[in-house]
PDB file of all heavy atoms in Angstrom:
ATOM      1  N   ASP L  12       0.806   9.279  17.742  1.00 74.00           N
ATOM      2  CA  ASP L  12       1.152   9.272  19.107  1.00 74.00           C
ATOM      3  C   ASP L  12       2.601   8.875  19.385  1.00 74.00           C
ATOM      4  O   ASP L  12       3.300   9.542  20.189  1.00 74.00           O
ATOM      5  CB  ASP L  12       0.208   8.327  19.956  1.00 74.00           C
ATOM      6  CG  ASP L  12      -1.171   8.859  20.018  1.00 74.00           C
ATOM      7  OD1 ASP L  12      -1.353  10.058  19.788  1.00 74.00           O
ATOM      8  OD2 ASP L  12      -2.149   8.084  20.265  1.00 74.00           O
ATOM      9  N   LYS L  15       5.449  11.606  18.965  1.00 74.00           N
ATOM     10  CA  LYS L  15       5.558  12.783  19.772  1.00 74.00           C
ATOM     11  C   LYS L  15       6.914  12.999  20.447  1.00 74.00           C
ATOM     12  O   LYS L  15       7.388  14.141  20.517  1.00 74.00           O
ATOM     13  CB  LYS L  15       4.425  12.792  20.790  1.00 74.00           C
ATOM     14  CG  LYS L  15       3.005  13.050  20.155  1.00 74.00           C
ATOM     15  CD  LYS L  15       1.932  13.049  21.154  1.00 74.00           C
ATOM     16  CE  LYS L  15       0.581  13.295  20.460  1.00 74.00           C
ATOM     17  NZ  LYS L  15      -0.572  13.228  21.389  1.00 74.00           N
ATOM     18  N   GLU L  21      12.898  17.426  18.263  1.00 76.00           N
ATOM     19  CA  GLU L  21      13.182  18.308  17.110  1.00 76.00           C
ATOM     20  C   GLU L  21      12.768  19.753  17.373  1.00 76.00           C
ATOM     21  O   GLU L  21      13.475  20.693  16.972  1.00 76.00           O
ATOM     22  CB  GLU L  21      12.466  17.764  15.895  1.00 76.00           C
ATOM     23  CG  GLU L  21      13.035  16.461  15.352  1.00 76.00           C
ATOM     24  CD  GLU L  21      12.260  15.866  14.224  1.00 76.00           C
ATOM     25  OE1 GLU L  21      11.035  16.266  14.075  1.00 76.00           O
ATOM     26  OE2 GLU L  21      12.771  15.033  13.499  1.00 76.00           O
ATOM     27  N   ARG L  28      18.564  26.439  18.602  1.00 77.00           N
ATOM     28  CA  ARG L  28      19.198  27.118  17.506  1.00 77.00           C
ATOM     29  C   ARG L  28      18.785  28.571  17.361  1.00 77.00           C
ATOM     30  O   ARG L  28      19.626  29.432  17.152  1.00 77.00           O
ATOM     31  CB  ARG L  28      18.886  26.337  16.218  1.00 77.00           C
ATOM     32  CG  ARG L  28      19.611  26.882  14.995  1.00 77.00           C
ATOM     33  CD  ARG L  28      19.353  26.091  13.729  1.00 77.00           C
ATOM     34  NE  ARG L  28      20.068  24.844  13.706  1.00 77.00           N
ATOM     35  CZ  ARG L  28      19.526  23.616  13.796  1.00 77.00           C
ATOM     36  NH1 ARG L  28      18.231  23.547  13.945  1.00 77.00           N
ATOM     37  NH2 ARG L  28      20.292  22.553  13.763  1.00 77.00           N
ATOM     38  N   ASP L  35      23.827  35.252  19.874  1.00 70.00           N
ATOM     39  CA  ASP L  35      25.141  35.083  19.283  1.00 70.00           C
ATOM     40  C   ASP L  35      26.077  34.206  20.100  1.00 70.00           C
ATOM     41  O   ASP L  35      27.255  34.528  20.460  1.00 70.00           O
ATOM     42  CB  ASP L  35      25.810  36.470  19.096  1.00 70.00           C
ATOM     43  CG  ASP L  35      27.033  36.411  18.192  1.00 70.00           C
ATOM     44  OD1 ASP L  35      27.090  35.427  17.341  1.00 70.00           O
ATOM     45  OD2 ASP L  35      27.900  37.268  18.232  1.00 70.00           O
ATOM     46  N   GLN L  51      18.938   8.784  15.969  1.00 76.00           N
ATOM     47  CA  GLN L  51      18.910   7.489  16.696  1.00 76.00           C
ATOM     48  C   GLN L  51      17.492   7.201  17.193  1.00 76.00           C
ATOM     49  O   GLN L  51      16.977   6.069  17.044  1.00 76.00           O
ATOM     50  CB  GLN L  51      19.833   7.502  17.880  1.00 76.00           C
ATOM     51  CG  GLN L  51      21.314   7.539  17.446  1.00 76.00           C
ATOM     52  CD  GLN L  51      22.240   7.690  18.677  1.00 76.00           C
ATOM     53  OE1 GLN L  51      21.829   8.125  19.730  1.00 76.00           O
ATOM     54  NE2 GLN L  51      23.547   7.367  18.476  1.00 76.00           N
ATOM     55  N   ARG L  53      14.652   8.359  15.956  1.00 78.00           N
ATOM     56  CA  ARG L  53      13.759   8.024  14.825  1.00 78.00           C
ATOM     57  C   ARG L  53      13.925   6.600  14.398  1.00 78.00           C
ATOM     58  O   ARG L  53      12.980   5.891  14.119  1.00 78.00           O
ATOM     59  CB  ARG L  53      14.093   8.999  13.662  1.00 78.00           C
ATOM     60  CG  ARG L  53      13.200   8.779  12.451  1.00 78.00           C
ATOM     61  CD  ARG L  53      13.554   9.765  11.338  1.00 78.00           C
ATOM     62  NE  ARG L  53      13.295  11.150  11.748  1.00 78.00           N
ATOM     63  CZ  ARG L  53      12.128  11.752  11.537  1.00 78.00           C
ATOM     64  NH1 ARG L  53      11.117  11.128  11.004  1.00 78.00           N
ATOM     65  NH2 ARG L  53      11.971  12.979  11.931  1.00 78.00           N
ATOM     66  N   LEU L  60       8.014  -0.882  15.687  1.00 86.00           N
ATOM     67  CA  LEU L  60       6.587  -0.542  15.753  1.00 86.00           C
ATOM     68  C   LEU L  60       5.755  -1.773  15.971  1.00 86.00           C
ATOM     69  O   LEU L  60       6.067  -2.867  15.459  1.00 86.00           O
ATOM     70  CB  LEU L  60       6.191   0.140  14.457  1.00 86.00           C
ATOM     71  CG  LEU L  60       6.799   1.518  14.112  1.00 86.00           C
ATOM     72  CD1 LEU L  60       6.347   1.961  12.767  1.00 86.00           C
ATOM     73  CD2 LEU L  60       6.400   2.508  15.168  1.00 86.00           C
ATOM     74  N   TRP L  88       0.983   8.626 -18.721  1.00 95.00           N
ATOM     75  CA  TRP L  88      -0.131   8.067 -18.024  1.00 95.00           C
ATOM     76  C   TRP L  88      -1.421   8.600 -18.614  1.00 95.00           C
ATOM     77  O   TRP L  88      -1.634   9.779 -18.824  1.00 95.00           O
ATOM     78  CB  TRP L  88      -0.074   8.451 -16.538  1.00 95.00           C
ATOM     79  CG  TRP L  88      -1.364   8.361 -15.783  1.00 95.00           C
ATOM     80  CD1 TRP L  88      -2.065   9.443 -15.250  1.00 95.00           C
ATOM     81  CD2 TRP L  88      -2.119   7.225 -15.407  1.00 95.00           C
ATOM     82  NE1 TRP L  88      -3.164   8.987 -14.629  1.00 95.00           N
ATOM     83  CE2 TRP L  88      -3.233   7.643 -14.659  1.00 95.00           C
ATOM     84  CE3 TRP L  88      -1.934   5.856 -15.599  1.00 95.00           C
ATOM     85  CZ2 TRP L  88      -4.201   6.765 -14.146  1.00 95.00           C
ATOM     86  CZ3 TRP L  88      -2.868   4.942 -15.081  1.00 95.00           C
ATOM     87  CH2 TRP L  88      -3.965   5.395 -14.360  1.00 95.00           C
ATOM     88  N   ASP L  99     -18.572   4.469 -13.313  1.00 92.00           N
ATOM     89  CA  ASP L  99     -17.099   4.801 -13.326  1.00 92.00           C
ATOM     90  C   ASP L  99     -16.799   5.099 -11.837  1.00 92.00           C
ATOM     91  O   ASP L  99     -16.989   6.269 -11.379  1.00 92.00           O
ATOM     92  CB  ASP L  99     -16.874   5.996 -14.219  1.00 92.00           C
ATOM     93  CG  ASP L  99     -15.384   6.354 -14.166  1.00 92.00           C
ATOM     94  OD1 ASP L  99     -14.563   5.434 -14.069  1.00 92.00           O
ATOM     95  OD2 ASP L  99     -15.006   7.524 -14.356  1.00 92.00           O
ATOM     96  N   LEU L 103     -11.619   3.370  -7.496  1.00 96.00           N
ATOM     97  CA  LEU L 103     -10.663   2.430  -8.127  1.00 96.00           C
ATOM     98  C   LEU L 103     -10.318   3.052  -9.486  1.00 96.00           C
ATOM     99  O   LEU L 103     -11.191   3.165 -10.382  1.00 96.00           O
ATOM    100  CB  LEU L 103     -11.316   1.002  -8.282  1.00 96.00           C
ATOM    101  CG  LEU L 103     -10.277  -0.109  -8.306  1.00 96.00           C
ATOM    102  CD1 LEU L 103     -10.910  -1.450  -7.947  1.00 96.00           C
ATOM    103  CD2 LEU L 103      -9.601  -0.232  -9.650  1.00 96.00           C
ATOM    104  N   LEU L 118      -3.361   0.125 -12.197  1.00 96.00           N
ATOM    105  CA  LEU L 118      -4.684   0.355 -11.553  1.00 96.00           C
ATOM    106  C   LEU L 118      -4.567   0.142 -10.062  1.00 96.00           C
ATOM    107  O   LEU L 118      -3.717  -0.585  -9.580  1.00 96.00           O
ATOM    108  CB  LEU L 118      -5.753  -0.506 -12.174  1.00 96.00           C
ATOM    109  CG  LEU L 118      -5.622  -2.052 -12.090  1.00 96.00           C
ATOM    110  CD1 LEU L 118      -6.293  -2.561 -10.866  1.00 96.00           C
ATOM    111  CD2 LEU L 118      -6.256  -2.665 -13.311  1.00 96.00           C
ATOM    112  N   GLY L 123      -8.888   9.500  -0.645  1.00 89.00           N
ATOM    113  CA  GLY L 123      -8.829  10.967  -0.704  1.00 89.00           C
ATOM    114  C   GLY L 123      -7.750  11.524   0.165  1.00 89.00           C
ATOM    115  O   GLY L 123      -7.237  10.846   1.105  1.00 89.00           O
ATOM    116  N   TRP L 169     -16.701  -1.709  -0.637  1.00 90.00           N
ATOM    117  CA  TRP L 169     -17.871  -1.028  -0.141  1.00 90.00           C
ATOM    118  C   TRP L 169     -18.920  -2.032   0.296  1.00 90.00           C
ATOM    119  O   TRP L 169     -19.290  -2.926  -0.426  1.00 90.00           O
ATOM    120  CB  TRP L 169     -18.459  -0.072  -1.234  1.00 90.00           C
ATOM    121  CG  TRP L 169     -19.620   0.734  -0.819  1.00 90.00           C
ATOM    122  CD1 TRP L 169     -19.916   1.196   0.436  1.00 90.00           C
ATOM    123  CD2 TRP L 169     -20.696   1.109  -1.654  1.00 90.00           C
ATOM    124  NE1 TRP L 169     -21.067   1.909   0.430  1.00 90.00           N
ATOM    125  CE2 TRP L 169     -21.604   1.885  -0.828  1.00 90.00           C
ATOM    126  CE3 TRP L 169     -21.022   0.948  -3.007  1.00 90.00           C
ATOM    127  CZ2 TRP L 169     -22.798   2.373  -1.339  1.00 90.00           C
ATOM    128  CZ3 TRP L 169     -22.163   1.469  -3.523  1.00 90.00           C
ATOM    129  CH2 TRP L 169     -23.045   2.211  -2.670  1.00 90.00           C
ATOM    130  N   GLU L 181     -20.138 -11.117  -6.306  1.00 95.00           N
ATOM    131  CA  GLU L 181     -19.910 -11.714  -7.631  1.00 95.00           C
ATOM    132  C   GLU L 181     -18.811 -11.019  -8.389  1.00 95.00           C
ATOM    133  O   GLU L 181     -17.987 -11.686  -9.079  1.00 95.00           O
ATOM    134  CB  GLU L 181     -21.245 -11.694  -8.404  1.00 95.00           C
ATOM    135  CG  GLU L 181     -21.186 -12.384  -9.695  1.00 95.00           C
ATOM    136  CD  GLU L 181     -20.689 -11.487 -10.856  1.00 95.00           C
ATOM    137  OE1 GLU L 181     -20.737 -10.274 -10.704  1.00 95.00           O
ATOM    138  OE2 GLU L 181     -20.241 -12.048 -11.910  1.00 95.00           O
ATOM    139  N   GLY L 214      -5.845  -8.424  -6.367  1.00 94.00           N
ATOM    140  CA  GLY L 214      -4.659  -8.886  -5.718  1.00 94.00           C
ATOM    141  C   GLY L 214      -4.136 -10.252  -6.150  1.00 94.00           C
ATOM    142  O   GLY L 214      -3.222 -10.764  -5.468  1.00 94.00           O
ATOM    143  N   VAL L 215      -4.666 -10.838  -7.212  1.00 95.00           N
ATOM    144  CA  VAL L 215      -4.150 -12.090  -7.728  1.00 95.00           C
ATOM    145  C   VAL L 215      -3.056 -11.832  -8.748  1.00 95.00           C
ATOM    146  O   VAL L 215      -3.379 -11.293  -9.789  1.00 95.00           O
ATOM    147  CB  VAL L 215      -5.270 -12.962  -8.398  1.00 95.00           C
ATOM    148  CG1 VAL L 215      -4.750 -14.201  -8.972  1.00 95.00           C
ATOM    149  CG2 VAL L 215      -6.350 -13.229  -7.350  1.00 95.00           C
ATOM    150  N   ALA L 250      -4.975  -6.765  16.137  1.00 92.00           N
ATOM    151  CA  ALA L 250      -4.016  -6.478  15.089  1.00 92.00           C
ATOM    152  C   ALA L 250      -2.797  -7.447  15.254  1.00 92.00           C
ATOM    153  O   ALA L 250      -2.197  -7.912  14.279  1.00 92.00           O
ATOM    154  CB  ALA L 250      -3.537  -5.011  15.158  1.00 92.00           C
ATOM    155  N   LEU L 253      -3.891 -11.108  14.225  1.00 91.00           N
ATOM    156  CA  LEU L 253      -4.258 -11.290  12.805  1.00 91.00           C
ATOM    157  C   LEU L 253      -3.021 -11.479  11.943  1.00 91.00           C
ATOM    158  O   LEU L 253      -3.162 -11.891  10.760  1.00 91.00           O
ATOM    159  CB  LEU L 253      -5.093 -10.081  12.281  1.00 91.00           C
ATOM    160  CG  LEU L 253      -6.540 -10.042  12.714  1.00 91.00           C
ATOM    161  CD1 LEU L 253      -7.159  -8.678  12.425  1.00 91.00           C
ATOM    162  CD2 LEU L 253      -7.322 -11.155  12.003  1.00 91.00           C
ATOM    163  N   ILE L 274      12.906   6.318   6.503  1.00 85.00           N
ATOM    164  CA  ILE L 274      12.661   6.379   7.934  1.00 85.00           C
ATOM    165  C   ILE L 274      11.644   7.425   8.185  1.00 85.00           C
ATOM    166  O   ILE L 274      11.710   8.604   7.771  1.00 85.00           O
ATOM    167  CB  ILE L 274      13.996   6.703   8.682  1.00 85.00           C
ATOM    168  CG1 ILE L 274      15.018   5.561   8.465  1.00 85.00           C
ATOM    169  CG2 ILE L 274      13.742   6.909  10.175  1.00 85.00           C
ATOM    170  CD1 ILE L 274      16.379   5.865   9.094  1.00 85.00           C
ATOM    171  N   LYS L 289       9.459   1.843  -7.954  1.00 96.00           N
ATOM    172  CA  LYS L 289       9.776   1.719  -9.418  1.00 96.00           C
ATOM    173  C   LYS L 289      10.852   0.690  -9.636  1.00 96.00           C
ATOM    174  O   LYS L 289      10.744  -0.142 -10.539  1.00 96.00           O
ATOM    175  CB  LYS L 289      10.177   3.103  -9.929  1.00 96.00           C
ATOM    176  CG  LYS L 289      10.430   3.043 -11.454  1.00 96.00           C
ATOM    177  CD  LYS L 289      10.753   4.479 -11.945  1.00 96.00           C
ATOM    178  CE  LYS L 289      11.000   4.447 -13.459  1.00 96.00           C
ATOM    179  NZ  LYS L 289      11.277   5.846 -13.986  1.00 96.00           N
ATOM    180  N   GLU L 297      11.132  -7.617 -15.380  1.00 94.00           N
ATOM    181  CA  GLU L 297      12.220  -8.197 -16.171  1.00 94.00           C
ATOM    182  C   GLU L 297      12.251  -9.691 -15.964  1.00 94.00           C
ATOM    183  O   GLU L 297      12.452 -10.476 -16.919  1.00 94.00           O
ATOM    184  CB  GLU L 297      13.557  -7.553 -15.786  1.00 94.00           C
ATOM    185  CG  GLU L 297      14.736  -8.057 -16.636  1.00 94.00           C
ATOM    186  CD  GLU L 297      16.003  -7.381 -16.241  1.00 94.00           C
ATOM    187  OE1 GLU L 297      16.008  -6.442 -15.413  1.00 94.00           O
ATOM    188  OE2 GLU L 297      17.053  -7.760 -16.822  1.00 94.00           O
ATOM    189  N   GLU L 298      12.118 -10.197 -14.735  1.00 94.00           N
ATOM    190  CA  GLU L 298      12.156 -11.586 -14.456  1.00 94.00           C
ATOM    191  C   GLU L 298      10.931 -12.293 -15.041  1.00 94.00           C
ATOM    192  O   GLU L 298      11.016 -13.376 -15.603  1.00 94.00           O
ATOM    193  CB  GLU L 298      12.153 -11.827 -12.914  1.00 94.00           C
ATOM    194  CG  GLU L 298      13.477 -11.296 -12.309  1.00 94.00           C
ATOM    195  CD  GLU L 298      13.390 -11.318 -10.767  1.00 94.00           C
ATOM    196  OE1 GLU L 298      12.375 -11.725 -10.254  1.00 94.00           O
ATOM    197  OE2 GLU L 298      14.403 -10.890 -10.125  1.00 94.00           O
ATOM    198  N   THR L 303       6.998 -17.789 -20.301  1.00 93.00           N
ATOM    199  CA  THR L 303       5.863 -17.868 -21.206  1.00 93.00           C
ATOM    200  C   THR L 303       4.613 -17.580 -20.405  1.00 93.00           C
ATOM    201  O   THR L 303       4.550 -17.691 -19.195  1.00 93.00           O
ATOM    202  CB  THR L 303       5.793 -19.212 -21.892  1.00 93.00           C
ATOM    203  OG1 THR L 303       5.468 -20.196 -20.906  1.00 93.00           O
ATOM    204  CG2 THR L 303       7.073 -19.500 -22.600  1.00 93.00           C
ATOM    205  N   GLY L 304       3.503 -17.263 -21.132  1.00 93.00           N
ATOM    206  CA  GLY L 304       2.237 -17.052 -20.478  1.00 93.00           C
ATOM    207  C   GLY L 304       1.767 -18.299 -19.726  1.00 93.00           C
ATOM    208  O   GLY L 304       1.234 -18.232 -18.637  1.00 93.00           O
ATOM    209  N   ARG L 317      -0.336 -22.851  -2.433  1.00 89.00           N
ATOM    210  CA  ARG L 317       0.547 -23.053  -1.259  1.00 89.00           C
ATOM    211  C   ARG L 317       0.100 -22.258  -0.018  1.00 89.00           C
ATOM    212  O   ARG L 317       0.467 -22.567   1.083  1.00 89.00           O
ATOM    213  CB  ARG L 317       1.990 -22.705  -1.586  1.00 89.00           C
ATOM    214  CG  ARG L 317       2.717 -23.632  -2.516  1.00 89.00           C
ATOM    215  CD  ARG L 317       4.185 -23.409  -2.591  1.00 89.00           C
ATOM    216  NE  ARG L 317       4.441 -22.054  -3.133  1.00 89.00           N
ATOM    217  CZ  ARG L 317       4.636 -21.803  -4.399  1.00 89.00           C
ATOM    218  NH1 ARG L 317       4.597 -22.812  -5.322  1.00 89.00           N
ATOM    219  NH2 ARG L 317       4.924 -20.591  -4.859  1.00 89.00           N
TER     220      ARG L 317
END
Side-chain angles (χ1 to χ4, degrees):
D12 290 341
K15 289 180 180 178
E21 290 175 341
R28 184 178 282 113
D35 195 23
Q51 292 173 341
R53 183 180 293 272
L60 296 175
W88 158 250
D99 181 33
L103 207 159
L118 61 91
W169 181 33
E181 185 275 340
V215 176
L253 283 167
I274 296 178
K289 182 177 182 178
E297 183 177 355
E298 296 170 0
T303 65
R317 287 192 297 269

